[in-house]
Amino acid sequence: MKLKNNIFIKIYLWFWVTTALIMSTQMLIDRLTDSGPFTNYLHTVFTNNITMYSGLIADYKSKNDELAIQKLIQKIKEISKTEFYCIEADKIDSIKLPIIDKAKPIINKVLNRNDTLEIFLADGNIYTGINLTGTNNKKYIVLSETLPLPPPIGRHPRETKEHTIRMFIGLIISAIICYLIARYFTQPIFIINKATCKFAAGNLSTRIAKDINRTDEFYVLANSFDNMAEKIELLMNSQKQLLGDISHELRSPLARLNVALELIRKQFGDSASKNINRIEKEVEALNLMIEKVLELTKLECGVKEISKSKFQLDKLLKKIIADGNFEAEAIQKSVTLISSEECFIVGNEELLKRALENLIRNAIKYTKENTTVEIFMKKSIYNLKSAVEIIVKDHGPGVNESELTNIFKPFYRLSGARERSSGGVGLGLAITERAISFHNGTVKAFNEKDGGLQVQILLPLE
């Protein structure tokens, strides 16, 4: 699945981008309005300054020690670039200072409260005020004016660093949370998709409700899948069982029919030989069909019981080709191994022999007279693992593109040259496909550009 089509990636990125935008917007608003959790450092610096120095200034003011006040204010200004003012509360209206007009809003707030700190931003400056009582029991308003704010964004470098750290930590936390949310929503989809693929590949016992530990709509969907799978499995097994039972039952009357034909041949001699030979031919065709039906049923129902061993595949293929070429020469055709490599495979030798025989005989049947069935064998890669590739090419009429996958279905008949009059019962390629699947391989058919059919087999070597 491509990443751009992956629903997990889509949900994860949407959640993460949304949370990142929310965080960025909040931080931007906090900076523009000088509010919110990201301006704590700014507020702390100036409130601490006025808290530390306001009491001392008020004490000097109570003693009318203007010289000490001026020295202290000058020292504070050198350290923190902040100007301090101490004004008697009852003389606010009579004193003419620029600070009073600029900080009028904060003065009005401070006058109505005790021991209250306020911060007011205007004209790029920060004004801080506190209402306290001096040693002479007079009320004083201590104001501070900080100007200007450090450019370009009006924030202390330490504050900018803290903002960056907070943003980074916030993005990491949101990434983890969004990952967990996306995984929670998409994990059942992947489980259902994986189960569907397994079911489509022939594993009818696939069930998924037990793997989804939740009680929402996904669990309902998984239950519906399991119910469907159970019914299909029951139907398919019943069909296979019925097919196998009928095939077994047909063998007995056919055997008795063969005995009866021999008795008729002895009784009537040559006068009935023509009709008897015809009956024998049809009985033989029925026996062949029953044998293939039983073999196919065995592959589909009890294939796991078939034993495996290590054998040399190229040697087996050469033997099959030699037998096929002997049969082909009788009808002015031939079979040739164009290329091969020595390789060993773990599997059921008899089963693979039957699969390759069916494929090669099918190619011999449909290739034109005086043509050669070409076979190639080489080592390849399949599912990122070592594999062997076998290609069988004939020079026949080919197959319609829409029917290339159908030729591996049991009893499937094709129109045109590949029809019933050409022989066969429609089970050879089906047996080949089941046998290759049992060995975890694939078989595919392609039409050649210059005519004919090419069948490719890929078998993993491990």
Side-chain angles (χ1 to χ4, degrees):
M1 182 184 292
K2 296 181 180 179
L3 286 180
K4 65 178 183 180
N5 296 325
N6 193 314
I7 190 172
F8 174 82
I9 298 296
K10 289 181 179 179
I11 293 177
Y12 175 70
L13 289 179
W14 273 111
F15 273 118
W16 193 28
V17 170
T18 301
T19 55
L21 286 175
I22 292 173
M23 290 174 58
S24 301
T25 304
Q26 182 62 49
M27 291 184 67
L28 180 61
I29 292 173
D30 291 346
R31 280 179 173 272
L32 293 176
T33 61
D34 191 45
S35 61
F38 298 103
T39 57
N40 286 340
Y41 173 76
L42 177 69
H43 288 253
T44 302
V45 169
F46 298 113
T47 53
N48 284 347
N49 279 347
I50 200 168
T51 301
M52 285 189 297
Y53 300 122
S54 59
L56 188 56
I57 292 174
D59 286 343
Y60 288 151
K61 191 73 173 175
S62 300
K63 299 174 183 178
N64 294 319
D65 192 348
E66 294 294 335
L67 181 62
I69 293 175
Q70 292 302 320
K71 288 183 179 180
L72 178 60
I73 290 176
Q74 185 63 33
K75 185 176 181 181
I76 296 171
K77 188 174 181 180
E78 292 174 358
I79 295 173
S80 62
K81 299 186 184 297
T82 301
E83 189 78 52
F84 272 80
Y85 301 90
C86 184
I87 306 167
E88 294 182 29
D90 56 359
K91 295 182 180 181
I92 290 292
D93 297 328
S94 61
I95 297 176
K96 302 296 182 181
L97 286 174
I99 185 67
I100 295 177
D101 294 331
K102 292 179 182 179
K104 195 67 175 179
I106 196 172
I107 292 173
N108 292 333
K109 291 181 180 180
V110 172
L111 282 172
N112 299 322
R113 297 186 180 183
N114 293 323
D115 300 329
T116 302
L117 295 173
E118 297 287 348
I119 294 180
F120 176 77
L121 277 71
D123 302 328
N125 302 332
I126 297 178
Y127 300 98
T128 311
I130 186 171
N131 180 354
L132 45 79
T133 303
T135 55
N136 58 357
N137 293 322
K138 286 186 177 181
K139 286 190 175 182
Y140 296 95
I141 301 296
V142 178
L143 301 174
S144 71
E145 180 184 30
T146 303
L147 40 120
L149 292 175
I153 58 173
R155 294 295 182 265
H156 193 278
R158 176 181 165 187
E159 183 197 0
T160 303
K161 182 179 179 181
E162 288 186 358
H163 277 313
T164 304
I165 294 173
R166 288 191 185 102
M167 175 64 81
F168 179 75
I169 294 174
L171 288 175
I172 294 297
I173 294 174
S174 68
I176 295 172
I177 293 174
C178 291
Y179 171 83
L180 295 175
I181 293 173
R183 182 179 175 84
Y184 176 80
F185 281 117
T186 58
Q187 189 176 25
I189 298 175
F190 294 137
I191 293 174
I192 294 172
N193 179 64
K194 184 178 179 181
T196 304
C197 292
K198 288 174 64 179
F199 192 82
N203 188 356
L204 302 183
S205 62
T206 303
R207 302 293 184 271
I208 56 174
K210 63 181 183 298
D211 298 325
I212 299 180
N213 298 320
R214 48 205 295 178
T215 57
D216 55 12
E217 286 80 357
F218 284 115
Y219 182 77
V220 175
L221 179 60
N223 262 327
S224 300
F225 176 90
D226 286 356
N227 292 334
M228 177 197 70
E230 186 176 355
K231 291 179 181 179
I232 293 176
E233 182 183 21
L234 181 62
L235 180 63
M236 294 297 293
N237 288 340
S238 299
Q239 182 184 12
K240 293 171 186 176
Q241 185 65 39
L242 177 63
L243 200 58
D245 292 343
I246 292 175
S247 300
H248 274 293
E249 294 300 323
L250 284 175
R251 280 196 155 186
S252 296
L254 284 174
R256 292 193 293 270
L257 185 57
N258 277 323
V259 173
L261 285 173
E262 288 300 320
L263 293 176
I264 293 173
R265 190 191 298 279
K266 290 179 182 180
Q267 184 175 354
F268 293 97
D270 296 337
S271 60
S273 60
K274 182 179 179 181
N275 292 328
I276 292 172
N277 290 339
R278 179 64 183 179
I279 295 172
E280 283 184 333
K281 183 179 179 181
E282 296 299 331
V283 170
E284 183 179 349
L286 281 173
N287 267 319
L288 178 62
M289 182 184 295
I290 291 170
E291 181 182 351
K292 289 185 176 293
V293 168
L294 288 174
E295 184 175 356
L296 184 63
T297 303
K298 184 178 180 181
L299 285 172
E300 292 183 334
C301 297
V303 73
K304 292 182 179 179
E305 299 176 1
I306 297 177
S307 61
K308 291 183 179 182
S309 61
K310 187 175 182 180
F311 62 93
Q312 192 170 342
L313 184 60
D314 59 301
K315 187 176 180 181
L316 173 65
L317 182 61
K318 290 176 182 177
K319 182 179 179 181
I320 296 171
I321 291 173
D323 295 339
N325 189 57
F326 179 78
E327 297 176 12
E329 287 177 348
I331 51 176
Q332 289 76 50
K333 302 176 183 181
S334 63
V335 182
T336 302
L337 180 63
I338 303 298
S339 62
S340 83
E341 293 184 51
E342 181 182 85
C343 70
F344 292 84
I345 191 170
V346 176
N348 186 276
E349 185 172 0
E350 184 60 32
L351 194 56
L352 280 178
K353 178 183 177 183
R354 184 66 60 87
L356 294 172
E357 279 181 344
N358 288 339
L359 190 57
I360 292 173
R361 283 177 177 166
N362 190 74
I364 293 171
K365 186 187 299 181
Y366 295 111
T367 195
K368 297 176 183 178
E369 288 189 6
N370 302 315
T371 60
T372 300
V373 174
E374 301 170 352
I375 300 175
F376 304 82
M377 178 183 181
K378 64 178 181 178
K379 291 182 180 179
S380 181
I381 300 296
Y382 174 59
N383 284 344
L384 303 178
K385 293 183 179 180
S386 299
V388 58
E389 180 183 22
I390 300 173
I391 296 176
V392 179
K393 294 182 180 179
D394 66 39
H395 296 276
V399 175
N400 291 334
E401 292 291 332
S402 60
E403 296 180 318
L404 284 173
T405 57
N406 294 330
I407 61 176
F408 299 103
K409 294 180 180 179
F411 298 108
Y412 188 82
R413 308 302 306 181
L414 296 172
S415 58
R418 296 176 184 260
E419 57 189 8
R420 187 173 295 280
S421 61
S422 63
V425 295
L427 289 172
L429 292 181
I431 292 173
T432 297
E433 194 275 335
R434 301 301 190 277
I436 299 301
S437 295
F438 168 68
H439 290 84
N440 299 319
T442 61
V443 55
K444 297 179 181 178
F446 308 91
N447 280 315
E448 288 286 298
K449 293 181 180 179
D450 55 350
L453 187 71
Q454 171 186 319
V455 179
Q456 177 201 54
I457 291 177
L458 279 171
L459 286 168
L461 291 178
E462 297 178 6

